[in-house]
Amino acid sequence: MDLLGLKTFRHGVHPPEAKDDTRALPIRQFPFAPLLVVPLLQHIGAPALPLVHDGQEVMRGASIARPDGRLSVAMHAPASGVVRRVALAPSISGRMVPAVYLEPFPGSTQEVAEGAPCPLDAAPAVILAAIQAAGIVGLGGAGFPTHVKLTVPPEKAVDALIVNGVECEPYLTTDHRVMLEQRDDVFTGLRYLLAVSGARRAVIAVEANKPDAAAHLRAGLPADLAATVAVELLQVKYPQGAEKMLVTALLDREVPSGGLPLDVGALCINVATTAEIGRLLPHGRGIVERVVTVGGPAVQRPGNYRVPIGTPLRFLLDTVGLSGDVNRVFLGGPMMGQAAPSLDIAVTKGVSGVIAFTDHEAARATRREYPCIRCGYCLDACPIFLDPAALHALARNEAYPRMAAEEHLLDCFECGACAFVCPAHLPLVQQFRVAKAALRKAAPAAMAS
Amino acid sequence: MTGRASTLEIRTAPHVLSGYGVDAIMFNVVVALLPTTAFGIYVFGLPAALTIGVALAACLLTEHAVCRVAGRPSTLGDWSAAITGLLYGLTLPPGLPLWMTALGGVVCIGLGKALFGGLGRNPFNPALVGRAVLQAAFPVAMTSWLPALAPDRFAALPPSTLTLPFTTPLYDVVTGATPLAQWKFGQVLTDSGALAMGMVSGSSGETSAVLILAGGAWLVARNMMSWRIPLAVLGSVALGAALLHQLDPAHYAPASFHLFSGGLMLGAVFMATDMVASPMTALGAWLYGALIGVLTLVIRTWGGMPEGVMYAILLANAVSPLIDRVIRPRRYGSRGAPA
């Protein structure tokens, strides 16, 4: 509790928000790249199966790949154009994934193919199928198929639905703009979510640095939602947007180690995902674009853009202007965003931001390492109360199994708070990732459980 | 296309850091110590300036030499050796033979720090390791004190200061006794006001409680020092002393006397808070601080020596790893749901 009585979680850090460049900029439609690369694996699970062949002409919004099993979603053509080939393409993970290379027609318009609308009073299974067919995955960055997340096992019940509009990562302002500009989509999406989850109430969580968004949502709350939906301002603190931190802040419950919010009756859905459900389902459409904050000091015209899925980073950054001393580009925010190994990677559904740093910012984040001085800052930062210093000491000795068994490495969700505050500038998150990878390699079955 | 895009740097998040490093923390501790140092020199004059200067130089030179011998780049830039040197100098009686001062400085860094693996590995506060060795080796010299505010303190050096190495220093009648010794051996109680201001005999840094507290407060405000440890040390001493004084005022000095006399203030604020040698959890810090306070009071009250802060901190340093092993942060999600 702070002076304003706003809720939050314990620990965490306060990185500079860096949102001033783009928070006031309305969402603008981004042009089509000459060649769009639509990866068929933009989510956690199995790649979608292509429905198109080389040379085939498709309309924007038409389905170009179908889900391969339950843990998979459909893909849609982001532009009207010609399929040039179905081949492998680079992804942020460094792996090659199957992709559809689509060349938009010259003068391709924003007109989009529509399908059968999904009525609000449809059976939950029908709504879930529609969400899967619309290709919806978590737009906050996790990329987990939304229909799977929304499937509540019969032995569990959702008591509170949490719509996550926290956006605690620095630089990112997409959720902020979506809440301001797509209020009705958010509410429509929320109706679908309430219907499928069976939740009796919902909370739209907004960090206190977006009071305009919270006020806008409150002012427009429709009569049918007024009794069940609350808009709650949360303290500005990173990682407030992490699911566990949200559940703790709003409901004062702790998600059990290794468990999901569902285990304590909560279900968290990103606000952009919610808006996308509300925007697409009433028209039977699929995801063809998403709102991306393109920013950072190396970007000359930062902004919030509605970017077609499959837009290569190179085209994206060339269009907004990239300064010559660009040093690194990462997808998402600076606390958790993955650095892009090349600009041939395409914008996918989980990309909330494309942030480019110059040599200057990169140098500030690449400091000389010192030995751990046991200052304990990391213990005070870790939102899940681990001991990053102890994990570091074990990692130095490559004692990976002990990291998991004694220091609960697998609870770490790599928010980066410890590495952010570490005055010794130790690459803590990197060490933890290496350790997790080694453990996965050693015992794949144990990690999966 | 911009030319540089072919050389993108790939690093693991986070891509931003909080902005200050180990060197900044250490430098700020040095800065926080400067008022205390300046006041010590003002009160004890030239002997204090020489003692602190030689202590600092010995520590810095040893740190540098150790790095050279080990074939590593010099670690003087992390400022930790400067803190050790300054703190060590501040704990010494001004006018201590300079060769002893230098020897102790080598011990601080060599034995107290480098032998254990350098910064971050020292189990004990290095400054106190050096001082403890001197205390054991030269008990007389280490308990011979100059009077505060002597009129000729900036003009003359006591003959002991420049004693040749391995000869016995001579002390003359101007030697003063510390308030703690006066109490222990003569039941003479010094006024707490004079103690707090620091106008009494003692080590250079045992003088002004006000300046030490101000330096500590500045560091705490910058989140560069644990506030729990000094509070626990001072609180436990005050509580224990008050209790004893209540039982028998003739035998036990009042809390205010204990708080402001000797090395307690400097120890509680600047020595006990050595990050490397103190526990990392909040509860651990409270326990560790209270242990120091209790040990200090026990040594002062029933021990053979008038002052016990140094040994109290060293003993608590030894216990610190155990505290960190026993007191673990309560992991999120291990409690389950109350609902």
Side-chain angles (χ1 to χ4, degrees):
Chain A
M1 285 277 175
D2 68 349
L3 293 175
L4 296 170
L6 298 178
K7 291 177 177 172
T8 190
F9 61 101
R10 282 179 56 218
H11 292 187
V13 293
H14 293 94
E17 294 175 31
K19 294 175 191 273
D20 286 345
D21 279 356
T22 55
R23 77 166 93 223
L25 300 179
I27 300 168
R28 291 169 60 196
Q29 191 71 36
F30 208 79
F32 294 119
L35 186 66
L36 295 166
V37 184
V38 185
L40 299 181
L41 181 60
Q42 305 186 20
H43 48 265
I44 293 166
L49 298 170
L51 297 169
V52 292
H53 53 79
D54 296 5
Q56 182 174 339
E57 294 190 357
V58 292
M59 185 183 174
R60 178 167 140 93
S63 188
I64 55 173
R66 64 179 170 84
D68 180 16
R70 204 173 96 84
L71 200 56
S72 182
V73 296
M75 299 291 164
H76 303 82
S80 297
V82 185
V83 173
R84 281 300 165 206
R85 59 184 184 277
V86 180
L88 293 177
S91 75
I92 185 72
S93 68
R95 283 186 308 168
M96 301 293 279
V97 296
V100 171
Y101 288 73
L102 181 71
E103 185 184 320
F105 293 131
S108 182
T109 64
Q110 301 295 331
E111 194 188 345
V112 60
E114 298 199 345
C118 173
L120 256 172
D121 55 2
V126 174
I127 297 178
L128 290 176
I131 289 173
Q132 184 180 21
I136 294 168
V137 301
L139 299 186
F144 193 77
T146 302
H147 67 279
V148 179
K149 192 172 185 179
L150 286 172
T151 306
V152 183
E155 72 275 14
K156 289 174 186 161
V158 179
D159 150 59
L161 183 78
I162 298 173
V163 176
N164 187 351
V166 172
E167 202 164 50
C168 58
E169 274 270 12
Y171 288 97
L172 304 188
T173 53
T174 62
D175 291 346
H176 189 177
R177 293 313 307 179
V178 164
M179 287 187 279
L180 286 175
E181 299 179 37
Q182 290 181 251
R183 179 170 72 183
D184 292 343
D185 291 340
V186 172
F187 291 141
T188 307
L190 196 44
R191 290 190 186 100
Y192 282 108
L193 292 178
L194 287 168
V196 287
S197 68
R200 291 185 301 276
R201 62 181 173 126
V203 183
I204 306 179
V206 182
E207 225 174 33
N209 57 7
K210 297 176 268 290
D212 53 341
H216 185 67
L217 290 170
R218 276 183 188 137
L221 205 58
D224 64 316
L225 294 177
T228 43
V229 178
V231 179
E232 182 108 41
L233 272 185
L234 294 175
Q235 242 182 78
V236 179
K237 192 163 72 172
Y238 179 87
Q240 182 63 78
E243 287 194 344
K244 288 180 175 179
M245 277 56 258
L246 261 182
V247 169
T248 301
L250 289 171
L251 308 175
D252 193 26
R253 298 174 197 167
E254 274 194 13
V255 180
S257 168
L260 295 170
L262 258 183
D263 296 328
V264 290
L267 188 58
C268 304
I269 298 284
N270 171 266
V271 72
T273 312
T274 307
E276 206 61 9
I277 291 172
R279 185 165 167 249
L280 301 179
L281 259 55
H283 308 284
R285 289 164 45 189
I287 291 192
V288 296
E289 58 201 3
R290 67 151 299 151
V291 183
V292 179
T293 298
V294 186
V299 168
Q300 281 153 6
R301 287 178 298 281
N304 303 296
Y305 300 101
R306 200 176 289 285
V307 179
I309 301 296
T311 304
L313 295 185
R314 192 179 304 281
F315 177 80
L316 181 80
L317 291 169
D318 272 350
T319 308
V320 296
L322 194 58
S323 73
D325 57 350
V326 59
N327 177 289
R328 65 177 91 163
V329 173
F330 46 88
L331 306 186
M335 292 300 288
M336 289 185 79
Q338 269 188 285
S342 92
L343 296 185
D344 297 322
I345 288 170
V347 169
T348 53
K349 296 170 184 175
V351 175
S352 46
V354 176
I355 310 296
F357 271 9
T358 66
D359 293 329
H360 176 70
E361 292 78 39
R364 288 176 47 162
T366 319
R367 300 285 184 86
R368 183 183 148 189
E369 261 181 65
Y370 291 98
C372 171
I373 57 165
R374 304 172 45 79
C375 60
Y377 288 5
C378 51
L379 276 85
D380 289 339
C382 181
I384 51 169
F385 319 141
L386 299 181
D387 183 343
L391 283 165
H392 163 75
L394 291 173
R396 281 176 63 98
N397 295 325
E398 299 184 18
Y400 301 140
R402 284 185 62 196
M403 289 173 76
E406 296 169 23
E407 300 294 338
H408 311 287
L409 172 69
L410 302 187
D411 281 359
C412 168
F413 61 94
E414 300 169 17
C415 71
C418 54
F420 173 78
V421 294
C422 180
H425 308 133
L426 299 170
L428 297 169
V429 175
Q430 190 176 343
Q431 288 182 315
F432 302 163
R433 287 182 155 196
V434 168
K436 285 182 188 173
L439 287 171
R440 260 196 304 272
K441 211 171 172 183
M447 289 286 291
S449 69
Chain B
M1 183 59 215
T2 43
R4 285 287 303 282
S6 55
T7 57
L8 286 179
E9 192 174 71
I10 306 174
R11 278 185 182 267
T12 311
H15 304 285
V16 285
L17 296 178
S18 64
Y20 58 86
V22 166
D23 50 342
I25 295 176
M26 299 291 176
F27 176 74
N28 276 279
V29 176
V30 171
V31 170
L33 275 170
L34 288 182
T36 302
T37 310
F39 187 73
I41 291 173
Y42 164 73
V43 171
F44 296 110
L46 207 50
L50 273 177
T51 300
I52 295 170
V54 169
L56 188 58
C59 286
L60 293 178
L61 284 173
T62 309
E63 176 96 359
H64 190 68
V66 164
C67 290
R68 288 293 290 272
V69 169
R72 287 194 305 257
S74 177
T75 47
L76 288 183
D78 65 28
W79 289 92
S80 64
I83 297 181
T84 299
L86 212 49
L87 278 177
Y88 164 65
L90 287 172
T91 60
L92 297 178
L96 183 74
L98 292 178
W99 70 270
M100 294 181 186
T101 307
L103 182 72
V106 174
V107 172
C108 284
I109 299 293
L111 184 67
K113 188 174 169 191
L115 212 57
F116 289 102
L119 179 64
R121 304 279 168 74
N122 50 293
F124 302 101
N125 185 321
L128 292 181
V129 172
R131 190 189 195 280
V133 167
L134 289 193
Q135 178 90 54
F138 314 110
V140 177
M142 285 295 285
T143 49
S144 298
W145 310 96
L146 293 177
L149 300 168
D152 62 344
R153 61 191 189 277
F154 285 106
L157 276 178
S160 59
T161 309
L162 299 174
T163 312
L164 288 174
F166 306 107
T167 60
T168 308
L170 296 169
Y171 290 98
D172 53 28
V173 286
V174 299
T175 302
T178 63
L180 274 171
Q182 285 171 6
W183 169 255
K184 180 130 206 154
F185 304 123
Q187 300 286 305
V188 179
L189 199 59
T190 311
D191 171 58
S192 298
L195 285 174
M197 294 318 294
M199 307 297 187
V200 292
S201 271
S203 306
S204 311
E206 295 184 352
T207 50
S208 172
V210 176
L211 290 179
I212 293 169
L213 284 174
W218 187 68
L219 287 175
V220 167
R222 305 186 66 131
N223 190 26
M224 291 179 173
M225 173 181 281
S226 160
W227 55 269
R228 294 184 180 97
I229 293 173
L231 208 65
V233 175
L234 300 174
S236 54
V237 166
L239 211 69
L243 211 68
L244 290 174
H245 188 68
Q246 203 76 92
L247 291 175
D248 185 357
H251 264 92
Y252 304 111
S256 60
F257 174 79
H258 273 290
L259 280 184
F260 295 116
S261 63
L264 183 66
M265 207 52 83
L266 187 72
V269 175
F270 284 104
M271 303 275 199
T273 50
D274 181 343
M275 289 171 168
V276 181
S278 60
M280 293 199 286
T281 57
L283 179 58
W286 287 116
L287 286 175
Y288 163 89
L291 180 64
I292 292 174
V294 168
L295 285 174
T296 301
L297 201 60
V298 165
I299 296 174
R300 279 184 178 184
T301 309
W302 296 291
M305 292 170 296
E307 176 59 304
V309 174
M310 174 179 74
Y311 291 115
I313 294 176
L314 287 171
L315 285 169
N317 284 163
V319 179
S320 170
L322 183 67
I323 294 178
D324 266 344
R325 183 166 284 252
V326 175
I327 311 270
R328 303 309 315 272
R330 186 199 60 79
R331 180 170 51 111
Y332 178 100
S334 56
R335 179 178 71 188

